Amino acid sequence: MSKFTTILCLLLSLLPIFVLSDDGYNAFVYAGCSLPHYDPGSLYESAVDSSLAALINSAAFTSYSNFTSPSTSLSALYQCRSDLPASVCSSCLHTAVSQLSALCPSAAGATIQLRACLIKYSNESFIGKPDTTLLYKKCGAPAASYGGDVIGMRDAAIGTIQASGGAYRVGGAGYVQAESQCIGDLDTKECSDCVTVAVSQVRSACAYAGAGEVYLGKCYARYWANNGYHPSSSSNSRVDNNDETGKTLAIIIGLIAGVALIIVFLSFIRRAGSEKD
């Protein structure tokens, strides 16, 4: 292999780093802790630690897994966005477990949702049971901040995810995109029912907002503009800017940086060859 080919391969291998460096998959969304706590050194603590470790180890093979411990009445599960690679899922889960131990130390039950993954455990059985309890909502700035018929596009976009099938759903209309996902322990009908409730609640809660998201016990639904518009304020908390526009910009920047480096190295190699002649 020539020196140029070696350098070119090295540069191309760096491009995914540029592309993936700012996707925000590990961004915090919400967390909840139970009031009951377990005793340090107890059998339940050991079960929690071993279940979380087992769940993280499963991330290399599947985007969803659950764990039960009959001896301690512990149930646990994780759910990653099913469109993401295993490496992203694993990274998200590691971050979630680290944050969970800091936010909910010794809690008998806890839930943490990051942008790309969810972890939940409890001493009460919940696996396989539908749950449309509202856990978290966030609405963006008024749609007028975006311009155009955002509300009409919003309704059409979230309508597409309600009408589609599967546990992970994406849709869009105009420059508004929508996304939803159910936890893997729901069957097809339970998932569709949950998404229907989530879509209804995000439309109601964020009636005139240009972006919004609702997280229920077993699913979520969210929508956002994808044409460069970003809300200047939020009625509940900050609005997520991790949209497809940001990803596209990251890709472009990464490619430009890679090409620039290639040009620099080509110039260096040609200069070195000229000096030898």
Side-chain angles (χ1 to χ4, degrees):
M1 183 181 291
S2 69
K3 184 184 295 184
F4 168 74
T5 305
T6 302
I7 293 172
L8 180 60
C9 289
L10 288 173
L11 288 173
L12 291 177
S13 71
L14 291 175
L15 292 182
I17 298 175
F18 296 137
V19 172
L20 298 176
S21 62
D22 192 32
D23 278 329
Y25 294 130
N26 296 348
F28 178 84
V29 178
Y30 73 87
C33 317
S34 67
L35 291 177
H37 285 67
Y38 57 76
D39 295 326
S42 65
L43 183 60
Y44 190 83
E45 179 184 36
S46 177
V48 170
D49 292 342
S50 60
S51 68
L52 294 180
L55 292 178
I56 288 178
N57 290 336
S58 300
F61 309 101
T62 177
S63 62
Y64 165 79
S65 184
N66 64 62
F67 177 92
T68 57
S69 174
S71 62
T72 59
S73 301
L74 172 72
S75 298
L77 62 75
Y78 78 82
Q79 176 72 65
C80 289
R81 257 178 52 187
S82 58
D83 64 320
L84 299 176
S87 59
V88 174
C89 179
S90 180
S91 172
C92 187
L93 291 177
H94 275 93
T95 302
V97 168
S98 175
Q99 293 188 10
L100 198 60
S101 63
L103 293 170
C104 304
S106 302
T111 303
I112 183 167
Q113 175 77 59
L114 304 187
R115 184 55 66 196
C117 67
L118 164 82
I119 287 181
K120 178 177 181 177
Y121 73 87
S122 176
N123 57 353
E124 298 180 358
S125 176
F126 65 88
I127 294 175
K129 297 180 179 180
D131 184 1
T132 56
T133 304
L134 176 62
L135 300 179
Y136 178 80
K137 69 176 181 178
K138 181 173 65 176
C139 302
S145 301
Y146 295 80
D149 184 20
V150 176
I151 299 304
M153 295 178 190
R154 185 276 307 274
D155 289 344
I158 60 178
T160 62
I161 60 174
Q162 183 177 349
S164 62
Y168 178 71
R169 310 177 184 193
V170 292
Y175 56 74
V176 176
Q177 291 194 333
E179 175 188 74
S180 68
Q181 183 163 20
C182 297
I183 294 180
D185 61 340
L186 297 185
D187 63 28
T188 301
K189 183 180 184 305
E190 291 168 343
C191 177
S192 293
D193 290 345
C194 191
V195 171
T196 296
V197 174
V199 165
S200 176
Q201 292 208 19
V202 78
R203 179 186 287 115
S204 174
C206 305
Y208 301 105
E213 56 189 5
V214 161
Y215 286 81
L216 308 183
K218 287 296 180 73
C219 70
Y220 71 85
R222 70 188 191 110
Y223 68 92
W224 67 97
N226 187 37
N227 70 330
Y229 291 99
H230 297 290
S232 58
S233 62
S234 171
S235 59
N236 290 314
S237 61
R238 72 173 182 82
V239 173
D240 174 42
N241 287 333
N242 179 33
D243 56 20
E244 295 302 318
T245 301
K247 294 178 183 178
T248 302
L249 181 59
I251 292 172
I252 294 172
I253 293 174
L255 290 174
I256 292 174
V259 172
L261 287 173
I262 291 172
I263 293 173
V264 170
F265 273 98
L266 277 173
S267 300
F268 173 80
I269 293 171
R270 288 174 179 172
R271 190 180 300 113
S274 299
E275 290 175 357
K276 289 182 179 180
D277 294 336

